[in-house]
Amino acid sequence: MAKEKKGNKSDAKKAKLAEKKQKQEKKAQKKEKVKNAKVEGSDAEDVDLDAVLAEYKKAQEEFVKVTETVSEAPPKPRSSSTFLASPSNSNQLLLFGGETWNGALASFFNDLNIYYTDRDEWHCVTSPNAPLPRSGHAWCRGGNQKDSVFLFGGEFSSPKQGTFYHYNDFWRLEPSTREWTRIETKGKTPPARSGHRMTYFKNYIILFGGFQDTSNQTKYLNDLWIYDTQNFFWHSPTLPSAQLKPEARSSFTFLPHEQGAVLFGGYSRVKTVVSANKSAKGASQGQRNILKPMVHEDCFFLRITQPPADSPPNTPPNVRWERRKKPANTPTPSRVGVTMSYHKGRGILFGGVHDVEQSEEGMESEFFNQLYAWNIERNRFFPLALRKPRPQKKAPQSEQRVGRRGRAQANEEELLKQLAALQAGSSVEDADTMELDLKSGQEPEELEAPTRDMPVSMEFPHPRFNAQLAVQDDVLYIYGGTYESKDREYTFDDLYAIDLGKMDGCKQIFKREDDTWVGSDDEDDEAEDEDEDEDEDEYEEGDFEMTDEEPEALMSPSKRKKKQVDELSLADTASTVDSSVGDDVSEADTVATTIDDGLPHPRPFESRREFFVRTSNEWQEILMTSLRWKGIQPETLTIKEIKTKAFELSEEKWWDCREEINALEDEQEAAGIGEVVSLADKADTGAGGAGRRR
């Protein structure tokens, strides 16, 4: 019995060791991916985007015709794409473009994917004349041209997102034929941009807002453009200076209305002045410009009046912005990255994120998965909640046929049975016992093949922002979205459906885990290290649980004896080691910081957190070298303790260099370099943070 117990424990130990080895191999492969991505993308800042896009165009022209194929799996995960219910087919959803960020490099898409809601199938469309890869673009259905979809703008970037390219091309998609057509217009056209929004009103396509990313700064826009789908020209109305109009913004809600369009919310960054050196007093603090995030919660109505019928063809409509009151019962706290889809005079809102800036070390964010309906006429938000369906009593088999067609078929079968009974010489009362051999023309219709079972939950999808929404036949579809945790960005790869009429659950059409991330993930590394420590503790506990076995069993040629000896020696010197480690580590800190040459140096406009993230590995090596000089083995410290001490080293270096760095920042501002603005943006966009809420 004891031997069996010992054998079971040894097998469990071997299984855990194999699992641990598999984790280590996976971790090594992940680090190798990061290293390769950095090497391959090291020259990303010097990439010629025009040449890259020319290669895309050349490869695309190799497609001879429009081809639609059934996909074996849903499309690759992506963010900043566009998602729309097909205006020509009530069983199709359209998905185009988008990008994905894996922590090291960005990839862009230009594939058109179609989801068939009645078949539960994804189709991929390739075309020789499709728009080039992009994200942050906008599209909408065509108003009077109800079967068309119009697309404008978007952005493309270098792999490490150091250089941006904005589009100003205008396209029309015919969903029924899958044909793309680039629209060339005479006269003025909207400037290139991304993050804008489009909607429709009768024979007009309305475009507003967005942003332009340059090498120095991000410029938010508040210009209004109207495209006439009948006369084929763009018009930018000149509004009176005294007329109130929305401020520059992106990522807002823009919905159609019977008399024009309505606008709500949005996100932008506004210039503000802060003290350059908070530790100084009075006028010696100095000032510097930064871009401060701004969440818009205002609401505007765009009233559009068509020109008289006898007007010349190129007569533009009359437009006027009218400010409305802030909607009642607005979701709190204020949030950005919310998305809204139009449905029967109301907007369906989902998700969002609320950022709370705490300090230079980072930003704490709260993500949401609430669902609201914004009644446009009443200008009021109503929360939507899921409710369990009422249990229905199952009708008897004879009563399960419903409708005129079912009753007619039942009556026909009854008459045929009575006729068969009379022909057989039986009475009409015996008709119920007769069995009918239906002819081929009288066979009942075959039932459709049942679709796969999809799990239904009474909870909304995971909190996220910038999810893609579409409403088709009173069903809301939620695709993808983004979530952030520490330095990692999660791009959701899922699709859900909610019946807005019944609200009887959230159906999961598909859901896949994001396995594309190759960037640094301190949280995962720490979790793995903690798991390894726990495994080691379990092994030791398992060893000492066997002390009631025979002595021969304890004398196996394993490392247990050495481990016990080490533990005894450690127990004798535990107090001295604990006391000496703290002192020696502090001495190592002072030694490391006094050596100025060869130590990592902070950059201008770099916070303590950014400095440590960039130089974490170097500080850990410096710390471990200093510990070895003092005769302390770094293995006696946990990974968490090493990272904490390394952060303290980097923090001390950061504060020691503050005066020098402040002087460099002042010199750059005086020279008009403008890096205060650009780096404030790039720090977010490079890591996929708040910049993606644009």
Side-chain angles (χ1 to χ4, degrees):
M1 188 71 183
K3 290 183 179 180
E4 291 180 2
K5 187 176 179 183
K6 178 185 174 183
N8 293 336
K9 289 194 175 183
S10 62
D11 292 341
K13 185 175 179 180
K14 288 180 181 178
K16 287 187 177 181
L17 286 173
E19 185 179 356
K20 180 180 176 182
K21 185 177 180 181
Q22 188 177 2
K23 282 185 179 180
Q24 291 175 345
E25 291 176 353
K26 189 176 180 181
K27 191 174 178 182
Q29 292 175 1
K30 185 177 178 182
K31 289 183 177 179
E32 187 66 23
K33 278 186 180 180
V34 176
K35 185 178 179 181
N36 294 336
K38 288 182 179 178
V39 171
E40 293 172 1
S42 59
D43 60 345
E45 303 302 324
D46 300 326
V47 170
D48 186 355
L49 293 185
D50 291 328
V52 173
L53 292 174
E55 288 293 328
Y56 271 113
K57 188 174 182 181
K58 184 178 179 181
Q60 187 170 286
E61 289 174 351
E62 295 180 0
F63 294 108
V64 179
K65 60 180 181 179
V66 177
T67 306
E68 180 176 340
T69 57
V70 179
S71 303
E72 296 181 358
K76 294 180 180 179
R78 62 195 67 197
S79 61
S80 301
S81 57
T82 46
F83 192 47
L84 182 70
S86 174
S88 63
N89 191 315
S90 60
N91 293 320
Q92 295 177 4
L93 303 174
L94 309 176
L95 174 69
F96 176 77
E99 66 173 291
T100 181
W101 170 257
N102 65 359
L105 301 176
S107 302
F108 290 78
F109 305 96
N110 73 329
D111 49 347
L112 175 64
N113 293 278
I114 302 173
Y115 178 66
Y116 286 74
T117 57
D118 55 339
R119 307 183 203 168
D120 187 27
E121 284 182 357
W122 282 96
H123 289 206
C124 183
V125 179
T126 56
S127 171
N129 191 35
L132 292 174
R134 65 192 66 204
S135 69
H137 50 285
W139 68 1
C140 68
R141 58 183 65 202
N144 283 359
Q145 297 187 14
K146 60 180 182 178
D147 292 337
S148 300
V149 176
F150 292 85
L151 179 147
F152 181 86
E155 69 180 44
F156 183 82
S157 79
S158 58
K160 297 191 74 174
Q161 297 191 328
T163 308
F164 284 84
Y165 181 98
H166 290 268
Y167 296 97
N168 67 340
D169 48 355
F170 190 41
W171 296 81
R172 182 178 69 244
L173 170 67
E174 298 297 336
S176 57
T177 61
R178 321 299 197 225
E179 289 279 355
W180 286 99
T181 304
R182 181 166 181 173
I183 303 175
E184 302 287 351
T185 58
K186 296 181 180 179
K188 292 184 178 180
T189 60
R193 67 190 69 201
S194 58
H196 52 291
R197 295 292 183 266
M198 293 168 59
T199 189
Y200 59 90
F201 171 71
K202 295 188 176 179
N203 60 303
Y204 300 116
I205 301 296
I206 313 167
L207 183 150
F208 178 79
F211 65 89
Q212 294 174 334
D213 235 330
T214 63
S215 58
N216 293 328
Q217 62 179 356
T218 300
K219 180 183 178 183
Y220 288 86
L221 308 170
N222 69 335
D223 51 344
L224 176 67
W225 292 83
I226 298 177
Y227 177 74
D228 191 330
T229 60
Q230 292 180 346
N231 299 304
F232 314 109
F233 73 95
W234 281 102
H235 170 63
S236 181
T238 303
L239 304 175
S241 57
Q243 183 183 134
L244 285 175
K245 58 182 179 180
E247 296 175 333
R249 66 190 72 192
S250 70
S251 300
F252 50 92
T253 294
F254 209 28
L255 301 180
H257 189 270
E258 293 178 354
Q259 299 177 356
V262 288
L263 180 150
F264 171 73
Y267 174 84
S268 66
R269 291 193 171 197
V270 295
K271 286 186 179 180
T272 185
V273 179
V274 298
S275 60
N277 187 5
K278 295 182 180 180
S279 60
K281 295 182 180 180
S284 60
Q285 287 185 347
Q287 293 181 338
R288 64 172 180 171
N289 295 326
I290 65 169
L291 285 178
K292 183 179 180 181
M294 181 175 181
V295 181
H296 300 270
E297 292 187 286
D298 49 0
C299 183
F300 283 84
F301 172 60
L302 180 64
R303 188 179 298 276
I304 302 178
T305 305
Q306 288 184 297
D310 56 352
S311 301
N314 291 340
T315 303
N318 295 323
V319 300
R320 176 183 176 84
W321 284 108
E322 298 177 3
R323 180 157 189 165
R324 304 179 72 185
K325 292 182 179 179
K326 180 181 176 181
N329 198 26
T330 303
T332 55
S334 60
R335 55 198 70 177
V336 297
V338 297
T339 44
M340 199 180 294
S341 184
Y342 184 76
H343 175 247
K344 295 183 178 179
R346 59 181 187 166
I348 307 300
L349 178 148
F350 176 76
V353 57
H354 175 72
D355 293 328
V356 181
E357 288 208 50
Q358 289 184 324
S359 64
E360 292 181 343
E361 266 116 25
M363 179 186 296
E364 183 178 348
S365 301
E366 181 181 4
F367 296 83
F368 303 94
N369 65 342
Q370 298 164 325
L371 193 67
Y372 286 86
W374 177 36
N375 189 303
I376 298 175
E377 291 298 328
R378 296 174 61 182
N379 198 24
R380 183 181 183 88
F381 280 93
F382 296 90
L384 299 179
L386 299 174
R387 52 179 181 267
K388 292 184 178 180
R390 295 179 179 178
Q392 297 180 354
K393 294 182 179 179
K394 190 173 182 181
Q397 188 71 21
S398 59
E399 299 178 7
Q400 285 186 359
R401 284 176 177 158
V402 293
R404 181 185 299 176
R405 187 174 180 179
R407 289 194 297 269
Q409 186 174 351
N411 293 336
E412 183 181 358
E413 290 182 6
E414 185 179 356
L415 290 174
L416 289 173
K417 286 182 178 180
Q418 292 177 356
L419 179 60
L422 292 174
Q423 290 177 348
S426 303
S427 63
V428 178
E429 287 76 7
D430 299 333
D432 293 336
T433 61
M434 301 295 296
E435 294 183 1
L436 296 178
D437 293 330
L438 296 176
K439 298 179 181 179
S440 60
Q442 296 176 332
E443 289 181 356
E445 295 182 359
E446 294 183 0
L447 297 176
E448 294 183 1
T451 57
R452 64 182 176 89
D453 292 333
M454 301 180 185
V456 178
S457 171
M458 297 311 296
E459 296 181 357
F460 291 118
H462 191 283
R464 65 192 71 192
F465 68 95
N466 284 347
Q468 300 297 317
L469 306 183
V471 178
Q472 185 77 286
D473 285 345
D474 298 332
V475 177
L476 172 69
Y477 294 90
I478 304 174
Y479 174 78
T482 307
Y483 180 80
E484 295 166 0
S485 177
K486 293 191 176 182
D487 291 333
R488 175 163 182 178
E489 177 180 300
Y490 296 84
T491 300
F492 286 100
D493 188 15
D494 51 17
L495 178 63
Y496 297 89
I498 300 175
D499 191 322
L500 296 175
K502 300 178 181 178
M503 296 298 295
D504 55 351
C506 181
K507 182 186 295 184
Q508 177 185 298
I509 297 177
F510 81 88
K511 179 181 179 182
R512 296 182 300 190
E513 297 298 328
D514 181 16
D515 57 353
T516 60
W517 186 262
V518 299
S520 61
D521 193 352
D522 296 337
E523 185 178 8
D524 287 352
D525 292 344
E526 290 179 6
E528 290 178 6
D529 294 333
E530 289 177 2
D531 291 342
E532 291 174 5
D533 294 340
E534 289 177 2
D535 292 343
E536 290 177 1
D537 293 342
E538 288 178 4
Y539 300 154
E540 293 174 6
E541 290 174 3
D543 292 338
F544 287 105
E545 280 176 1
M546 295 165 58
T547 54
D548 57 344
E549 302 294 333
E550 297 179 2
E552 289 77 6
L554 289 174
M555 300 301 293
S556 61
S558 67
K559 296 182 180 179
R560 186 185 308 119
K561 181 176 180 180
K562 182 177 181 298
K563 193 178 295 184
Q564 290 174 350
V565 173
D566 292 341
E567 287 172 355
L568 290 174
S569 61
L570 286 174
D572 294 336
T573 59
S575 58
T576 57
V577 170
D578 291 339
S579 60
S580 62
V581 164
D583 297 337
D584 292 337
V585 168
S586 61
E587 290 178 13
D589 293 352
T590 56
V591 170
T593 52
T594 54
I595 302 173
D596 193 19
D597 295 335
L599 290 181
H601 202 74
R603 297 172 180 172
F605 314 109
E606 190 173 45
S607 67
R608 284 177 289 174
R609 179 175 176 274
E610 294 167 345
F611 175 48
F612 180 67
V613 169
R614 180 173 62 85
T615 60
S616 174
N617 293 335
E618 298 175 55
W619 285 114
Q620 291 182 44
E621 291 178 2
I622 292 170
L623 174 63
M624 289 189 287
T625 302
S626 301
L627 289 175
R628 290 191 181 99
W629 285 346
K630 294 298 178 182
I632 301 174
Q633 294 300 321
E635 291 77 9
T636 60
L637 299 177
T638 64
I639 299 296
K640 203 168 188 178
E641 290 174 345
I642 290 176
K643 287 185 177 181
T644 302
K645 294 294 181 182
F647 177 77
E648 292 174 358
L649 285 175
S650 67
E651 186 179 35
E652 188 174 350
K653 179 67 175 178
W654 189 87
W655 282 114
D656 289 342
C657 300
R658 281 323 296 158
E659 295 179 0
E660 178 185 352
I661 297 300
N662 284 336
L664 288 174
E665 292 174 356
D666 294 340
E667 289 177 6
Q668 292 189 12
E669 286 185 339
I673 295 177
E675 288 296 326
V676 180
V677 174
S678 63
L679 286 180
D681 286 338
K682 304 308 176 193
D684 291 333
T685 56
R692 296 197 183 268
R693 293 156 201 172
R694 304 177 300 186

